Amino acid sequence: MSDVRSVSAVVASFEADDSDGVLAALSGLSDEVRAGTWEALRRRLCAVPGPEQRQGLTAQAWSERVRTRAVLALAVGPVDVVRRVGSFVFLHPPASDIDRVLTSRTPEWRQAFTEATLRAEAAETEVGLFGPIWWDIWRRLRHLELAGVLQPDSTSGDYLVLMVRGLLFSDSITGAIRADPDLAERSVWSLFEPSPGVQKALLGSERYWNPANTWRVALVRLALAGVLDRQRLAAAAAAAADDARMGRNHRSWYRRIPQLLADPRLLPQEADQGPPPPGNQLRRPT
């Protein structure tokens, strides 16, 4: 009977758009209550909000409604909640909310959630439609990783795809890696291992209209600046270019890196005046 009352109390917080009430109840939520609440609210949590749901609400009231929905979905949802409900569940609320909710889940749930979330985001095929949102997704997930809330495998294909997409839509791939030196120490070198999704993401960066901010150019510039070991980069690229496990186009992408290292004059010139491009965007048809 107490579980029924607990479920009813959480549902009441949801219906009142009371995210603080949801957060306050976290410590007392058993697995049974979480499962019961998810079943009670699953349809409403998974429904795509329409304009009619926003009618009559101020911007602040709407933001609080979305925050409550996101916090509750993370608090009671299954490990694949991002696939079911959407990326906003870990993007919209403040980072402190997300940290608090996720740390209330069991370590086993968090590990499965991490893998399911990376898989769902990496499987997204409409890369250009997300645009700069990839940078937001990457920064939030990276924050959770550095805070110890989530412990992703930083060499996994899904993780690397999100890193490639996220930094591609930052103002500067080289700047983002300089600001996060651990990436240069570990994850960057996993880009040279065969993983079709990773290679597809790397080639995809060449389709964007700012040729000075592609991953291949960024890796070369980082090596020339001493952030990456130049000889190691050349050797890794040469090995990848000869790796028969990769597709021909993928091997060609790596083969170009030693050429650029040997003759940096081949690198596209960065703009020396005017504002930088506002993040990478898909090429517009002429």
Side-chain angles (χ1 to χ4, degrees):
M1 190 66 179
S2 60
D3 282 353
V4 174
R5 286 197 297 269
S6 297
V7 170
S8 298
V10 178
V11 171
S13 293
F14 168 78
E15 292 177 338
D17 296 332
D18 182 11
S19 57
D20 290 332
V22 174
L23 292 169
L26 288 176
S27 61
L29 293 183
S30 65
D31 289 344
E32 291 74 17
V33 171
R34 293 179 195 266
T37 305
W38 171 254
E39 285 305 313
L41 295 175
R42 176 170 53 86
R43 290 184 181 276
R44 283 188 279 178
L45 288 173
C46 293
V48 178
E52 67 281 357
Q53 293 175 291
R54 192 166 183 170
Q55 289 181 351
L57 294 177
T58 64
Q60 182 176 353
W62 176 250
S63 179
E64 181 60 20
R65 175 166 294 182
V66 175
R67 178 191 176 204
T68 302
R69 185 168 172 237
V71 166
L72 186 59
L74 280 181
V76 305
V79 296
D80 63 343
V81 63
V82 170
R83 180 183 65 81
R84 293 169 180 251
V85 181
S87 303
F88 82 92
V89 299
F90 66 87
L91 286 179
H92 182 82
S96 57
D97 284 359
I98 303 303
D99 293 357
R100 187 173 172 185
V101 174
L102 290 179
T103 52
S104 78
R105 308 296 306 245
T106 65
E108 294 77 15
W109 187 94
R110 274 183 282 163
Q111 186 58 40
F113 166 81
T114 302
E115 295 170 1
T117 299
L118 292 177
R119 188 181 312 117
E121 300 290 12
E124 175 57 53
T125 57
E126 298 295 339
V127 179
L129 291 180
F130 275 58
I133 295 176
W134 287 115
W135 180 228
D136 295 333
I137 291 173
W138 167 255
R139 284 188 296 173
R140 180 53 62 92
L141 290 174
R142 183 67 171 147
H143 160 78
L144 292 168
E145 178 186 5
L146 294 175
V149 178
L150 301 181
Q151 297 180 334
D153 176 1
S154 61
T155 66
S156 72
D158 292 338
Y159 180 96
L160 295 172
V161 167
L162 291 189
M163 181 182 76
V164 168
R165 291 176 179 174
L167 272 61
L168 178 63
F169 284 97
S170 68
D171 288 335
S172 166
I173 297 172
T174 57
I177 292 178
R178 285 176 179 272
D180 193 348
D182 282 351
L183 298 179
E185 292 293 327
R186 295 186 301 162
S187 299
V188 160
W189 300 108
S190 296
L191 297 175
F192 297 87
E193 298 297 325
S195 177
V198 175
Q199 275 80 56
K200 183 178 180 180
L202 289 170
L203 263 69
S205 74
E206 306 297 328
R207 298 173 52 235
Y208 290 75
W209 69 270
N210 180 7
N213 190 40
T214 69
W215 266 92
R216 184 164 56 190
V217 168
L219 292 172
V220 172
R221 291 196 186 281
L222 288 167
L224 294 175
V227 177
L228 298 177
D229 184 280
R230 184 169 179 169
Q231 291 184 334
R232 183 181 179 186
L233 179 62
D242 290 335
D243 194 332
R245 294 172 295 175
M246 297 191 192
R248 183 176 62 182
N249 289 341
H250 296 164
R251 295 198 303 271
S252 296
W253 187 89
Y254 291 105
R255 190 171 293 118
R256 181 68 168 162
I257 290 176
Q259 298 171 2
L260 295 173
L261 285 170
D263 189 357
R265 293 173 300 177
L266 298 174
L267 289 168
Q269 295 299 310
E270 296 179 292
D272 57 3
Q273 59 183 358
N280 280 338
Q281 299 177 15
L282 285 171
R283 294 184 188 273
R284 296 180 179 179
T286 56

